[in-house]
Amino acid sequence: MDSNNNHYLLCFFMIIFLVGHDHEGLTKGVEGLGCNWGLQATHPLNPNIVVKLMKDNGFNKVKLFEADPGALKALGRSGIQVMIGIPNELLAPIASSVSVASAWVEQNVSKYISNNGVDVRYVAVGNEPFLTTYGDKFLNTTFPALQNIQAALIKAGLGRQVKATVPLNADVYQSADSGLPSTGDFRGDIHDLMISIIKFLSDNGAPLTINIYPFLSLYADSNFPVDFAFFNASGAAPVVDGSITYTNVFDANFDTLISALEKNGFASLPVIIGEVGWPTDGDPNANLVYAQRFNQGLIDRINQGKGTPKRRTPPEIYIFGLIDEDKKSILPGNFERHWGMFNYDGTLKYSLNVGNGRSLVAAKGVKYLSRQWCVMSPQASTTDPNFPGSVEYACTYADCTSLGNGSSCGKLDAMSNASYAFNMYYQTMNQMKGSCTFSNLSVLTKIDPSRDTCRYEIMIDVGKHDLPPKTPSSLAAARGKHSYSVMALVFVLTLMMKICGV
């Protein structure tokens, strides 16, 4: 086996932590497409439009990161199966008392099942709580919270219908120094805790949920062989593990988990892929071409019912994500706001064949703010003493991640960079009067300043959607807080270097 591939594979497992239904289903295989619906957006689409978007594109499973009332009501009687998430911040109170867990289940699960006909299948207890970047913050509360939620589901009479699980990052397991999947085991510092959780899941007929991100291989290691991150690639040297040959990192990563389960006596435990996908902006490798390539390969595998060498039947897979989220934390990287298969407004980013000869279709009924943009005035100068502070202010309160090097707007000159920043602030502020002043450096225009790959947005008018009718079907997300300031600092430094010709 090529030692370089050993290194690359081992590297993937070491770096992934930086970014931080029943057993019968395992034999039957899983039908349909799943997605993650994140709600960290300044101008979210109306939930009814999002549900129609999912149905139009063949997504019949969705994972939410929180029990959002609008999203859950829209999902009622839609024919879409739902996984409802519990944010990490709620783990401690839920872990402290079964009564607290019962109250949460009553308000966020039972109510929507009985009153709205929501097809809830899972409760996701926490979101990647064992990331090494969290330290031991959630180590003592995750398992008790899981136990209490399961008890609350049983008490509510939902124990068979709804299963409790914990979405975990792939850094909870690792391979030995050889990097081979067959050497996989759970991380030493949480090994006993993982076995306790897995035994509990097994005893209750619930699946283990794992998030896998091949994109992070390229993000963290510029020497990682690009083709090995994708499916059906012939350019990367394979990883040979005994009688098994791995041609992509997803299969190798997943089978490392399966080896860990086998090693600890849980060879048949069902596994869900809670998140997997590819971003389209915010990094040179986060682009439309790579995202289309990865997600098309992923969807093809799902539609073909293809598993991995160790698990021939496919797991349930929830693609991350459905729509871009411009409020997500960018501490892991600028790409965090660009995981969507669709733009923030439900428009198409790229084509995907979702099966049966169907291609992705855009959202319907979306209304926008006035067709006008805030740009830098032609009479203004980048040498104006107010220039740096104005740009920094704009990017502190709006999303400027597309301006980074290698991103979709990364090749603009200094004035165009400022125009992009001013416009994002103006649009984020709903084009309010006075939001395009910037010390007399800016002006409104009716001419779209978009160019090449750089799109100058006009935001959704959140009060003027045409809502599609809801029809019953016979088929019956957080991570983050606002964190613009870090991006603003990086952007201003980059911009000033451009101005100074550095």
Side-chain angles (χ1 to χ4, degrees):
M1 173 182 168
D2 191 323
S3 61
N4 285 334
N5 281 321
N6 277 337
H7 165 73
Y8 295 136
L9 187 57
L10 181 59
C11 179
F12 174 80
F13 298 125
M14 292 176 65
I15 60 89
I16 193 166
F17 68 86
L18 292 174
V19 179
H21 279 136
D22 54 20
H23 291 269
E24 182 185 1
L26 191 64
T27 60
K28 291 189 301 184
V30 179
E31 296 180 355
L33 297 175
C35 64
N36 285 265
W37 178 7
L39 299 166
Q40 299 294 312
T42 60
H43 290 70
L45 280 170
N46 182 280
N48 291 309
I49 291 179
V50 176
V51 170
K52 183 67 163 56
L53 175 67
M54 286 189 282
K55 291 174 65 67
D56 286 347
N57 288 286
F59 290 95
N60 63 358
K61 306 171 192 292
V62 67
K63 177 167 162 279
L64 303 174
F65 292 93
E66 56 191 308
D68 179 78
L72 287 169
K73 289 177 182 177
L75 286 163
R77 301 176 181 87
S78 65
I80 297 175
Q81 300 173 11
V82 182
M83 180 187 295
I84 303 176
I86 298 177
N88 290 337
E89 290 71 23
L90 296 182
L91 292 177
I94 289 175
S96 69
S97 168
V98 175
S99 63
V100 174
S102 294
W104 188 93
V105 167
E106 172 60 31
Q107 289 298 313
N108 300 293
V109 181
S110 300
K111 180 176 74 174
Y112 291 105
I113 291 175
S114 59
N115 295 349
N116 303 96
V118 180
D119 186 6
V120 182
R121 297 298 180 96
Y122 302 109
V123 172
V125 182
N127 185 42
E128 300 184 339
F130 300 153
L131 280 174
T132 54
T133 51
Y134 290 151
D136 60 358
K137 186 174 181 180
F138 305 112
L139 288 185
N140 297 322
T141 55
T142 300
F143 187 28
L146 175 66
Q147 292 172 304
N148 286 349
I149 287 294
Q150 181 63 46
L153 290 170
I154 294 172
K155 180 180 178 182
L158 299 172
R160 294 179 61 84
Q161 175 183 346
V162 183
K163 300 298 183 181
T165 183
V166 180
L168 299 168
N169 187 276
D171 78 337
V172 299
Y173 53 89
Q174 57 196 8
S175 57
D177 291 341
S178 65
L180 298 177
S182 61
T183 65
D185 202 352
F186 295 105
R187 214 170 71 210
D189 62 312
I190 57 171
H191 188 278
D192 292 345
L193 176 57
M194 282 298 303
I195 299 307
S196 296
I197 289 174
I198 289 168
K199 184 179 187 305
F200 183 81
L201 295 174
S202 180
D203 290 345
N204 286 277
L208 176 65
T209 302
I210 292 293
N211 302 338
I212 298 177
Y213 284 107
F215 165 77
L216 298 183
S217 302
L218 295 184
Y219 181 70
D221 183 359
S222 60
N223 294 317
F224 191 92
V226 174
D227 277 352
F228 199 65
F230 298 92
F231 304 103
N232 303 320
S234 58
V239 170
V240 179
D241 187 359
S243 62
I244 299 176
T245 298
Y246 291 97
T247 59
N248 67 83
V249 74
F250 176 89
D251 283 353
N253 185 294
F254 185 86
D255 278 3
T256 302
L257 168 62
I258 301 306
S259 293
L261 290 172
E262 293 173 348
K263 192 167 297 181
N264 291 280
F266 297 93
S268 62
L269 185 75
V271 176
I272 288 176
I273 303 299
E275 299 176 26
V276 59
W278 203 281
T280 57
D281 210 351
D283 181 77
N285 288 314
N287 58 65
L288 296 175
V289 173
Y290 281 2
Q292 193 277 342
R293 179 183 176 186
F294 183 86
N295 282 331
Q296 187 64 69
L298 180 64
I299 288 174
D300 289 346
R301 286 170 60 103
I302 295 171
N303 287 333
Q304 294 164 8
K306 184 177 181 180
T308 66
K310 280 186 171 290
R311 282 274 178 99
R312 295 297 181 178
T313 52
E316 285 192 56
I317 294 178
Y318 293 79
I319 301 174
F320 191 82
L322 187 66
I323 302 169
D324 281 354
E325 302 171 78
D326 66 348
K327 277 171 51 178
K328 283 192 69 181
S329 169
I330 57 171
L331 291 179
N334 292 339
F335 55 82
E336 278 293 335
R337 294 176 181 165
H338 305 278
W339 286 99
M341 289 175 282
F342 296 88
N343 292 304
Y344 78 99
D345 56 356
T347 53
L348 297 174
K349 288 185 176 182
Y350 47 79
S351 63
L352 283 177
N353 177 2
V354 293
N356 298 320
R358 297 189 307 165
S359 296
L360 286 183
V361 295
K364 300 177 178 66
V366 181
K367 297 296 184 181
Y368 296 85
L369 299 173
S370 299
R371 188 173 172 80
Q372 58 189 19
W373 296 262
C374 177
V375 297
M376 189 165 175
S377 171
Q379 286 73 45
S381 171
T382 58
T383 60
D384 188 302
N386 293 312
F387 179 81
S390 296
V391 173
E392 181 179 5
Y393 182 84
C395 286
T396 297
Y397 296 100
D399 178 24
C400 292
T401 53
S402 294
L403 291 172
N405 289 330
S407 299
S408 62
C409 301
K411 294 183 178 180
L412 301 179
D413 59 27
M415 289 191 68
S416 297
N417 274 336
S419 291
Y420 184 93
F422 293 164
N423 183 65
M424 285 303 296
Y425 177 85
Y426 177 65
Q427 303 294 342
T428 301
M429 296 297 117
N430 294 305
Q431 299 185 357
M432 287 191 306
K433 184 177 181 180
S435 60
C436 184
T437 53
F438 295 105
S439 302
N440 297 317
L441 293 169
S442 55
V443 65
L444 290 177
T445 180
K446 300 284 188 179
I447 301 173
D448 187 351
S450 300
R451 64 187 73 178
D452 299 325
T453 61
C454 186
R455 170 179 166 177
Y456 285 62
E457 306 286 6
I458 293 179
M459 284 294 178
I460 294 170
D461 187 335
V462 294
K464 293 185 179 179
H465 291 296
D466 289 338
L467 304 184
K470 293 185 66 177
T471 56
S473 170
S474 60
L475 298 177
R479 291 187 175 188
K481 301 177 180 179
H482 292 272
S483 58
Y484 295 112
S485 57
V486 175
M487 179 59 202
L489 178 59
V490 174
F491 168 68
V492 171
L493 290 174
T494 303
L495 181 61
M496 294 311 296
M497 290 175 68
K498 288 185 179 181
I499 295 171
C500 300
V502 178

